[in-house]
Amino acid sequence: MKKFETFSGIAAPMPLVNIDTDMIIPKVFLKSIERTGFGKNLFDEMRYNRDGTEIPDFVLNKSQYRDAQILIAGDNFGCGSSREHAPWALDDFGIKVIVSTSFADIFFNNSFKNGMLPIVLPQEQVDVLMADAEKGANARMTVDLEAQEITTSDGDVIKFEVDAFKKHCLLNGLDDIGLTMEKEASIDAYEATAGAERPWV
C-alpha cells in the first residue's frame, strides 16, 4: 500500500445523502476478487445510460471533475452491504480522500485498509468544502495527514480528527499484511523455537 502523507487534488462535490455500496459499485460487477478494474463502473447507474453512454449531468462525467481525487459527500456515505469492492472501485477510479459528516462503519474501516482517507467533519465544515469543490478543477484542496489539516483553494484550514493507529498505517503504507510483516523477526523466532520444541508438527 502506498504511503499517504500530504496530498493535493481536485475535489468533486457529491451532496447526495445515504449513498450506499450498491450505488458505489452495483452488485452486477462483483465478479472478481482482484482490487483493480472496478473504477470504470464506479457509480455506474448514475454515470451511464442503459446504452452505455455517459449521463452528462453526473459530477464525475463533467470535464472539470474527471480527474477528481477528493470526494465531498453527503451524510451516511458507504451505507448498505459490507462489500469491499466499494472502496476498491473508488480507489481504482483515483479517489484518495472522502469527506462526509458520517460513514457506515464497515465502509469507513475498509477505506483505511485500502489506502484511502475518510474524514468526518461537522456539517458546517463540509458545507465550506462543498462550496469550494463546486468551483471546479482550479479549486484544488490539500490534505495533510500528518498535521490533520485540509486547506481549501482559498487558503482556509480545517482541522480533522483521525484514529492514531489508522493514521500510522496510512502514513507508513501498512495494510493488514504489512502490519504482520512488521513482526517478521518475532514470527521467525517463534517458528524456529516451536519447530525445535515440537519437531513432529
Side-chain angles (χ1 to χ4, degrees):
M1 197 166 75
K2 291 182 179 179
K3 294 181 179 181
F4 189 117
E5 295 171 341
T6 300
F7 173 80
S8 180
I10 297 167
M14 189 175 289
L16 295 174
V17 300
N18 301 320
I19 291 180
D20 64 28
T21 53
D22 194 55
M23 294 169 71
I24 295 170
I25 181 72
K27 58 183 176 293
V28 67
F29 300 110
L30 310 185
K31 299 175 181 177
S32 172
I33 57 171
E34 299 292 332
R35 296 188 181 195
T36 58
F38 294 103
K40 64 182 180 294
N41 300 117
L42 176 69
F43 300 119
D44 191 87
E45 293 177 359
M46 292 189 284
R47 281 173 73 191
Y48 304 108
N49 294 302
R50 289 189 178 183
D51 63 2
T53 58
E54 291 186 349
I55 298 172
D57 288 341
F58 182 66
V59 62
L60 297 181
N61 289 339
K62 296 179 179 180
S63 59
Q64 62 267 44
Y65 298 116
R66 286 184 178 275
D67 296 320
Q69 294 175 291
I70 301 171
L71 198 61
I72 312 300
D75 187 54
N76 197 29
F77 189 87
C79 57
S81 64
S82 60
R83 65 190 66 167
E84 194 167 10
H85 296 74
W88 290 354
L90 287 157
D91 180 62
D92 193 56
F93 180 85
I95 300 297
K96 301 303 179 189
V97 178
I98 308 166
V99 180
S100 178
T101 52
S102 69
F103 294 89
D105 287 343
I106 294 175
F107 175 85
F108 184 76
N109 290 316
N110 280 342
S111 294
F112 281 103
K113 291 181 178 181
N114 286 280
M116 291 188 298
L117 175 61
I119 298 173
V120 177
L121 290 173
Q123 185 65 60
E124 58 269 22
Q125 292 182 324
V126 172
D127 289 344
V128 170
L129 296 176
M130 192 76 72
D132 195 48
E134 288 170 352
K135 296 176 182 177
N138 292 326
R140 299 180 70 89
M141 295 182 190
T142 299
V143 180
D144 186 334
L145 178 56
E146 183 65 57
Q148 296 178 207
E149 293 178 345
I150 303 173
T151 304
T152 70
S153 63
D154 294 326
D156 296 324
V157 176
I158 294 175
K159 300 284 291 185
F160 62 88
E161 297 297 321
V162 62
D163 176 81
F165 175 71
K166 291 180 171 64
K167 177 179 178 179
H168 167 79
C169 290
L170 283 182
L171 286 173
N172 293 281
L174 298 172
D175 56 13
D176 288 346
I177 294 173
L179 286 167
T180 301
M181 295 310 295
E182 282 193 316
K183 308 295 184 183
E184 184 176 11
S186 297
I187 294 169
D188 289 344
Y190 170 80
E191 292 289 345
T193 300
E197 292 175 350
R198 295 174 293 173
W200 62 87
V201 176

